[in-house]
Every structure is written in structure tokens, then in C-alpha cells.
Amino acid sequence: MAPAVSPFLDPGASSSAHSLGILQLKRDHLIPTVLSDASSTEYAEGNVVNTRFGSFTHSSLIGKPWGTQILASVVDTGSRGGRSKKRKREANGEGNAAEDASRSEEPVRSVVKAATTASSGFAHLVPPTPETWTLCLPHRTQVVYTPDYSFIIQKMRLRPGDHIIEAGAGSGSFTHAVARTVFNGYPGLEQPEEKDEQEVNGTTSRKRRRRQQRHGHVYSFEYHKPRAEQLREELVSHGLDPLVTVTNRDVYADGFCVDAENENAPNADVIFLDLPAPWLALKHLTRSPPPPAVVKSIASDTAEPPTTTSAPRPPKPFRSPLNPKTTTRICTFSPCIEQVQKTVAAMRSYGWLDIEMFTMEHKRLEVRRERVGLAEEGLRGANPSPATVQEAVQRLRDVEDRAKVFHGLQKEKQEQIMRRAEAKKRGEQAPAGEGEADGLKKKTEGLPPSKHDRLERAKKESESRALFREGRLVCRTEPEIKTHTSYLVFAMLPVEWTAEDEEKARRKWG
Ligand SMILES: C[S@@+](CC[C@H](N)C(=O)[O-])C[C@H]1O[C@@H](n2cnc3c(N)ncnc32)[C@H](O)[C@@H]1O
């Protein structure tokens, strides 16, 4: 059942049972999990997320403010191994009656055992957002990453209340991001906010007026049936299904109206095409039926066969999926420049204007404090090499001074051993030497501290230092980032200038 408000839109202050939470192990390593306080047949401690940084029981994750550092728990994962082997045998048809009987006798745990905190291992519990979801979603295809979709959404001026067409939906990374952007209330539950809007279509009145805004909606199209079904399931479990209509459709052949009769048009303000041949879909994104000769010439330019295997269908009556009252903004996402050339040529033929292309060369800037110097020895996140020539020379002198004393002591010790051996040979009593510990203490007095002493001192001193604001502020670019680099083509299709508009203008301007 869908939650009242999707955690992607309003995660609240803390995590709750039956809702999605994301366990962040490292910056780019996140694990999504639907939290459940129910008992589990696998572990006495209830449901558990096992990671390379330890096991985390769901009970330790529920009811925690987002961002909390969660310590790993001690969980007996031994019994799980036995069970999974048993399941494997069962799956292979190797189970037997005795095993089945013993399984049925296994106690059903009704009480969840309290887990104890492990001695090491932690993770952070973060709320589900399109950004965190993009980093941990089950990959069914290449996905659009955050640096790309943040630019696309901004450039297409996507706003709450807009209707957007997206094809193909793939793994749903872009879908989640745009569902959040267009959200202005759930259809049927609440009215969208009214907004002030200038009447631009009317030629006489230029007054501002209050207009009832419609609910924002995402129309997602995906050719691959299992992908479309999986996305539908994900959207239901994330509470986003009222905002997104997923249609399993070959958009090259069948276009973008959402029901079979071509009746229900999305009335889209914005289009995003992440398809292998976006130019083949453009014929369906016009305001009036395109001339057949133009459609034919664009299709005949396609050297590679489109992804579709659908048999040709009889033509349906034309119905535009675009909002007739607003300028339509489009973005196509293509990995290579040849696809861009074909897309731009087709856009020109169908009347798209303001066509421009961008290439994404995103790099994340890493800003941090760099602490360098011998005083940092043994401390985390610092460079303990000498910061100046003086520090380096002083350290060399200290090492030499200590080495001299050490070698002197070694020599003395050897001489003492030889003296004792000679005295023994002569049958005399061995000469009484200075106590070894006393000798060492006397000789190392006034010497520079040993490594052990230095580390101890640095650790103690660090307690009274404000390390977070010490050191030089440095800014570096990351050498690599996980983004699907692409060419983005943007364009606009103005509203149609009708005979009625012409007449109005003629009347007004003569
Ligand atoms: C690169 S993936 C899209 C990834 C998606 N934008 C995301 O962020 O997760 C391209 C998708 O387009 C779909 N596709 C290809 N040809 C199509 C067509 N003719 N109609 C609809 N979808 C199509 C593919 O099945 C594939 O899932």
C-alpha cells in the first residue's frame, strides 16, 4: 500500500517502519532497505542488513533521526548459512521429506531478540531522495546521474504543476527526480496551490489573474516490458505512483498518448527523450499532423534499425500529446554526436526553435583542510611529513642523536659481555656493571623524545586543538566521476499560431 506521502517528497524527521531508509556506508556506497520491525525467520534479532561494515538490525534503524550514525550489531549469521544451503538444495529439487518435516518444526520467532552493539562498524542512516536513490537503485540500464538531471531540470525550467513526458524510463533514476520536481499535491487528495499568472495568450487583457494550477504529472514510456513493470512496482512502494503513469510502449511506432484509443493526451509542457534514436519519436511530438513526406525522409535517414520489433500498425487519428497553451521544452540525451546531428536535423524539420547542445563535463570539487607537519604524526586525516626545511633538519638531528646514544649503549654492552667472559676464563668474579635500566635512563636523559613518546604527546595535544579549522584550505577536482557523459540537445516548440489568433491580431493592429 502506498504511504500517505512519499518519503521522497517528505521523509519526516526520522525513519519509520514500513518506509524506505538508506544506509550509507561510504560516500558512493548506499544500501536501500524497507524497514520492518517484524520478526524474521532468518535471524533471532529480526530483519538485518548485512554489510562489509557489519550487520545492522532493522530495530536499530527504525525511529532514528535521519543522518544518525548507527553502530553495527552482533548478529548470529551462522544459522543463516545453514538455511540458505537448505534453500539451495530445495531449489535444486534435492530436498527430502525428512528435511521438510524438520523445517516445519522450526520455531517461528514471535519475539525479536535485542541485539548487542558490535565492537566496531558503523553506517549513517539517510533519507531516500532522488539523489541517494540514483546511487543505489537496482540497475536495469544505464541511468541518468544527478549532475546530468539537475542541469536538465533547470535548463528545461521544469516546475511544480508541469506535465512531463519521459522516454525511455529505464531504471527510473530520472523518473524519481522529475516526480519530485513536478509535485504540487497528490491528485484526488488535495488541491494544487493557486498561482498568479500573467495571461499571455489573450491579446486584449494583460492583467494578472489567479489561475487554478493543475497537478504535476510524469508520463513515463518504456519499451521493455519487465523494466516497465519493475518501475511500476518501485513507484508504488515509494508512494510515487499517483504522480507517474508508466506505459509499456514503443514510442517510435505508437507515440505518447496514454491509452490505446489515443484519447488521453498527457498535455505535456516538457519532454525528455533518453532513447537510442530520439529523432524517430519526434514525429509524435508536434502540434498538428506532420507532412508524411518529412516523416518518411527522417525515417529513411536512419542507417541503424530502431529498437522496435513491433509490426506496422494502421494509422490512428492524430492527437498531439503537447499542452496547446504553453511553449513545449524538450531535451534529448545522446551518447554520440551522430545521434545529435540526426536529432537536430529532425527538430528543424518539425519546427523546433532555439536548438542548442551542451556536453556534460562534470567534476566534483573536493574542498578540505590539509594539515602538514611533524606535529600531525599519528593523527588521522593529516600529512605527518615535515612542513619546513627546519622541521626536517631538526628531525634528522634528533634521529642522529638518538642513534649515537643507541650505538654507544650497544658498544658498552658488548664490551661488558667480553669483560665478563674474560673474567670467567681467568676464574675471577665477573665485574659488577651498572644496572642496565639505570644506565639507559641516565644516557637518554635530555635526548629528543622517542617515537612512542612523540605519538602519545601529539594525541594528547590534539584533544585541545580545533583540528577542523586548522591547516590550509585546499580545493581539488576529482579525477573521475560516475556520470554517463552525454550530449544534451535542448529546443522549444512555440504555441501554434491559429487562424483565430491571426484574426485577433488583425483586429487589434489593423
Ligand atoms: C538509457 S535507458 C533510460 C534510462 C533512464 N533515463 C534512467 O535514468 O534510468 C533507455 C531506455 O529506453 C528504452 N527504449 C528504447 N527504445 C524505446 C522505444 N522505442 N520506446 C520506448 N522505450 C524505448 C530502453 O528499453 C531503455 O530502457
Side-chain angles (χ1 to χ4, degrees):
M1 203 179 73
V5 176
S6 165
F8 281 80
L9 304 169
D10 179 11
S14 54
S15 60
S16 56
H18 315 295
S19 187
L20 184 68
I22 292 181
L23 211 51
Q24 182 172 35
L25 303 178
K26 291 201 285 178
R27 193 178 66 185
D28 288 338
H29 188 177
L30 298 96
I31 301 176
T33 183
V34 176
L35 303 173
S36 163
D37 48 7
S39 57
S40 146
T41 49
E42 300 221 31
Y43 303 107
E45 294 82 0
N47 290 302
V48 171
V49 185
N50 286 312
T51 75
R52 53 190 284 215
F53 296 122
S55 299
F56 297 87
T57 59
H58 282 210
S59 49
S60 70
L61 302 174
I62 293 172
K64 294 282 158 40
W66 297 116
T68 306
Q69 189 184 67
I70 310 285
L71 300 178
S73 300
V74 179
V75 173
D76 174 21
T77 50
S79 57
R80 185 176 182 251
R83 277 170 188 281
S84 53
K85 267 184 216 154
K86 218 182 261 181
R87 283 217 192 95
K88 219 174 185 175
R89 283 204 299 274
E90 195 184 7
N92 293 341
E94 294 164 19
N96 59 32
E99 261 186 1
D100 290 347
S102 73
R103 199 174 306 123
S104 65
E105 281 161 22
E106 278 168 7
V108 178
R109 297 184 182 105
S110 54
V111 182
V112 175
K113 186 179 142 195
T116 50
T117 307
S119 56
S120 66
F122 68 85
H124 287 92
L125 182 67
V126 294
T129 62
E131 291 74 25
T132 53
W133 181 246
T134 295
L135 292 174
C136 61
L137 53 78
H139 274 239
R140 304 181 276 269
T141 57
Q142 287 266 35
V143 306
V144 181
Y145 285 97
T146 302
D148 290 321
Y149 65 61
S150 56
F151 178 68
I152 295 167
I153 290 172
Q154 174 266 330
K155 188 86 182 97
M156 292 200 298
R157 281 179 267 139
L158 191 67
R159 291 166 294 190
D162 274 351
H163 281 200
I164 177 170
I165 284 177
E166 174 212 19
S171 309
S173 165
F174 188 80
T175 319
H176 281 74
V178 289
R180 178 186 58 184
T181 310
V182 300
F183 177 73
N184 61 347
Y186 278 112
L189 281 184
E190 47 195 281
Q191 284 300 315
E193 275 176 22
E194 284 190 335
K195 70 167 188 180
D196 279 333
E197 195 176 78
Q198 192 151 10
E199 193 172 317
V200 283
N201 253 356
T203 48
T204 48
S205 167
R206 301 200 115 246
K207 269 193 297 179
R208 282 183 172 271
R209 64 181 179 129
R210 304 278 292 166
R211 195 184 71 126
Q212 183 83 53
Q213 211 186 352
R214 58 187 181 163
H215 281 110
H217 204 85
V218 183
Y219 293 88
S220 274
F221 294 86
E222 174 52 55
Y223 169 66
H224 192 259
K225 200 169 178 191
R227 281 181 207 153
E229 271 161 14
Q230 261 171 298
L231 179 59
R232 253 183 233 129
E233 280 164 24
E234 268 169 19
L235 292 167
V236 169
S237 78
H238 297 169
L240 292 171
D241 55 313
L243 310 176
V244 186
T245 303
V246 182
T247 308
N248 174 218
R249 156 98 51 97
D250 170 7
V251 296
Y252 302 150
D254 298 329
F256 298 92
C257 289
V258 280
D259 59 25
E261 285 74 42
N262 240 355
E263 276 299 306
N264 203 350
N267 263 333
D269 309 288
V270 175
I271 319 283
F272 176 67
L273 301 181
D274 185 2
L275 296 167
W279 60 94
L280 293 180
L282 289 177
K283 61 178 177 285
H284 300 290
L285 296 168
T286 53
R287 297 197 186 278
S288 43
V294 175
V295 176
K296 211 169 163 191
S297 82
I298 289 168
S300 64
D301 272 357
T302 309
E304 71 218 71
T307 50
T308 170
T309 51
S310 321
R313 311 231 173 104
K316 290 175 198 157
F318 180 85
R319 187 165 160 83
S320 172
L322 310 180
N323 184 350
K325 292 185 184 150
T326 58
T327 301
T328 309
R329 288 97 67 195
I330 192 170
C331 172
T332 65
F333 184 104
S334 302
C336 69
I337 201 78
E338 290 76 12
Q339 292 188 0
V340 170
Q341 285 170 329
K342 285 180 186 161
T343 306
V344 171
M347 278 178 174
R348 287 201 182 118
S349 309
Y350 291 124
W352 291 84
L353 303 175
D354 241 352
I355 302 173
E356 46 183 353
M357 191 202 76
F358 292 81
T359 169
M360 296 298 292
E361 297 278 338
H362 184 275
K363 287 245 163 83
R364 204 177 332 204
L365 293 176
E366 208 185 317
V367 182
R368 59 189 163 86
R369 295 235 168 217
E370 201 173 68
R371 301 192 328 263
V372 184
L374 294 178
E376 308 296 337
E377 212 177 2
L379 301 184
R380 282 187 65 196
N383 180 353
S385 350
T388 60
V389 175
Q390 280 85 346
E391 261 194 8
V393 171
Q394 188 56 50
R395 171 56 57 86
L396 282 176
R397 282 194 183 130
D398 290 353
V399 170
E400 271 175 20
D401 286 354
R402 286 196 69 84
K404 255 185 229 164
V405 171
F406 175 76
H407 290 307
L409 279 174
Q410 289 290 97
K411 206 172 157 197
E412 235 172 65
K413 208 172 172 186
Q414 248 173 358
E415 283 171 0
Q416 209 175 30
I417 291 167
M418 279 166 66
R419 274 202 301 276
R420 278 186 192 160
E422 274 169 22
K424 206 175 171 189
K425 235 192 250 171
R426 290 198 298 273
E428 291 169 11
Q429 204 184 355
E434 209 176 349
E436 265 181 37
D438 289 349
L440 184 70
K441 201 175 168 194
K442 218 182 262 175
K443 282 175 181 121
T444 53
E445 256 168 29
L447 270 185
S450 66
K451 184 167 183 185
H452 176 265
D453 293 343
R454 285 200 312 268
L455 292 181
E456 283 290 308
R457 198 173 63 190
K459 202 170 156 194
K460 211 162 174 200
E461 280 174 2
S462 72
E463 284 164 16
S464 57
R465 286 168 61 188
L467 295 178
F468 66 92
R469 59 165 189 234
E470 281 187 16
R472 205 157 47 111
L473 197 62
V474 290
C475 176
R476 299 229 166 87
T477 58
E478 277 187 328
E480 270 178 54
I481 182 164
K482 215 172 160 192
T483 174
H484 180 201
T485 320
S486 59
Y487 295 112
L488 301 170
V489 177
F490 293 91
M492 283 192 210
L493 190 67
V495 287
E496 209 162 33
W497 187 251
T498 59
E500 201 183 315
D501 294 325
E502 183 69 28
E503 182 53 35
K504 265 188 194 167
R506 210 177 280 282
R507 259 190 272 125
K508 184 165 185 204
W509 304 107

